Amino acid sequence: MNKKIIEKVNAIPFLGVGVAWVEEDDFIHFAKELDPTLNYLEVHPPSNFDNVPLNIPKVAHSSLLPLADEKHLNEKLVNHIFQQAKDLNCHWLGDHVSILGTSSGIDFNYIFPPVIDSSLSDRLGERVLNFIERFEIPVVMEMGPRYWSLNNEDGLSDYKLLKDVSLNTDVPIIFDIPHCLTTAKNTGVSFKEIVELLKDVKVLELHIGAEGFTDTDRSKIDEWNALELCLNTFPTIKGITMEYSNNDFKSYKENVLKLSELVAKYKSSGVIA
């Protein structure tokens, strides 16, 4: 990867807890309350960012640049997404190792897991490096959830692919905890085994869900425990984003604050730089 971009990634400080940017009054007011030394915003281009606070650090995340697609992507869309990320001075832009079909007129509407064939690793690496050279902004790769297998893929084969491409290109990854838990459950592999597989990969960002962490919700307890495992395993993390999925804003805000407390504990103990 471009040496200048590697240096830029290495120079990024730990950003803290990421909050989703949503163009709604509650989120706009919440964003104004954030501490730029403890929080950042995750913006989702293409969108309207007229009300985004200028003083809060930002990262960009898209679901419209299918990094694993065989076809050429929509260049107008690619340019628009990267330009918005650059205009907002985002530290990086992330998207999924997925196929959307947007380039060939078929839209799956969400991240569709890739068919792992002999050409995918090279195709993925070339595409991501091309984006980095063209737009001079760090790009990070995220593996989406796997609900089924099309070519005998399983959770480990997905993340082995991600690991190989990352190590061969120096391109970091996003580790999405809900996606990985879903993949592990659906393909019969261990979440811990996937985390162990990726321990030598540069994980720049963690994603965690925001549906709430209660004593009666087993899946959320699992997710919270998974977060702690990741914090203890990946020393290169620059931010932990609390994702928003149209859930209740009050619950979302409470969980951002709870996550911030956990991150502060890890930071004070020296686990997070």
Side-chain angles (χ1 to χ4, degrees), residues 61-67 93-98 140-142 174:
H61 191 65
S62 169
S63 295
L64 294 174
L65 301 177
L67 300 177
L93 186 147
D95 212 315
H96 302 85
V97 179
S98 65
V140 287
M141 305 175 292
E142 175 183 348
I174 296 170

Side-chain angles (χ1 to χ4, degrees), residues 42-149:
E42 185 178 79
V43 300
H44 302 92
S47 188
N48 173 24
F49 300 118
D50 291 344
N51 293 306
V52 174
L54 297 178
N55 66 317
I56 306 294
K58 300 165 192 70
V59 304
H61 191 65
S62 169
S63 295
L64 294 174
L65 301 177
L67 300 177
D69 253 14
E70 291 188 22
K71 305 288 186 179
H72 290 295
L73 305 187
N74 183 313
E75 281 300 309
K76 184 176 180 180
L77 180 62
V78 170
N79 291 333
H80 184 48
I81 287 173
F82 273 95
Q83 191 58 54
Q84 283 200 319
K86 293 188 71 172
D87 289 344
L88 292 169
N89 294 315
C90 293
H91 285 289
W92 62 78
L93 186 147
D95 212 315
H96 302 85
V97 179
S98 65
I99 50 178
L100 286 180
T102 49
S103 55
S104 58
I106 303 171
D107 192 346
F108 297 122
N109 292 319
Y110 191 55
I111 44 178
F112 193 87
V115 178
I116 299 180
D117 58 33
S118 59
S119 67
L120 178 55
S121 179
D122 289 342
R123 185 170 72 245
L124 177 58
E126 289 172 6
R127 174 166 284 153
V128 174
L129 290 176
N130 177 264
F131 283 158
I132 292 169
E133 290 296 326
R134 285 172 58 192
F135 299 105
E136 298 184 324
I137 181 174
V139 175
V140 287
M141 305 175 292
E142 175 183 348
M143 186 61 69
R146 182 168 291 281
Y147 300 103
W148 56 83
S149 171

Side-chain angles (χ1 to χ4, degrees), residues 169-182:
T169 61
D170 286 323
V171 174
I173 71 168
I174 296 170
F175 187 77
D176 187 296
I177 292 171
H179 287 176
C180 187
L181 286 169
T182 298

Side-chain angles (χ1 to χ4, degrees), residues 206 226-234 237 240 262 266 271-272:
L206 294 178
L227 172 63
E228 296 200 71
L229 174 64
C230 291
L231 291 175
N232 285 313
T233 303
F234 304 130
I237 295 168
I240 303 105
L262 176 67
Y266 271 82
V271 174
I272 297 175

Side-chain angles (χ1 to χ4, degrees), residues 182-208:
T182 298
T183 295
K185 178 181 178 181
N186 289 335
T187 64
V189 300
S190 163
F191 178 86
K192 290 183 178 180
E193 193 174 0
I194 295 175
V195 171
E196 178 69 16
L197 175 71
L198 297 175
K199 66 180 182 180
D200 297 323
V201 176
K202 183 176 287 185
V203 178
L204 216 58
E205 181 183 1
L206 294 178
H207 281 175
I208 189 165

Side-chain angles (χ1 to χ4, degrees), residues 263-272:
V263 170
K265 182 184 77 172
Y266 271 82
K267 190 171 176 58
S268 65
S269 68
V271 174
I272 297 175

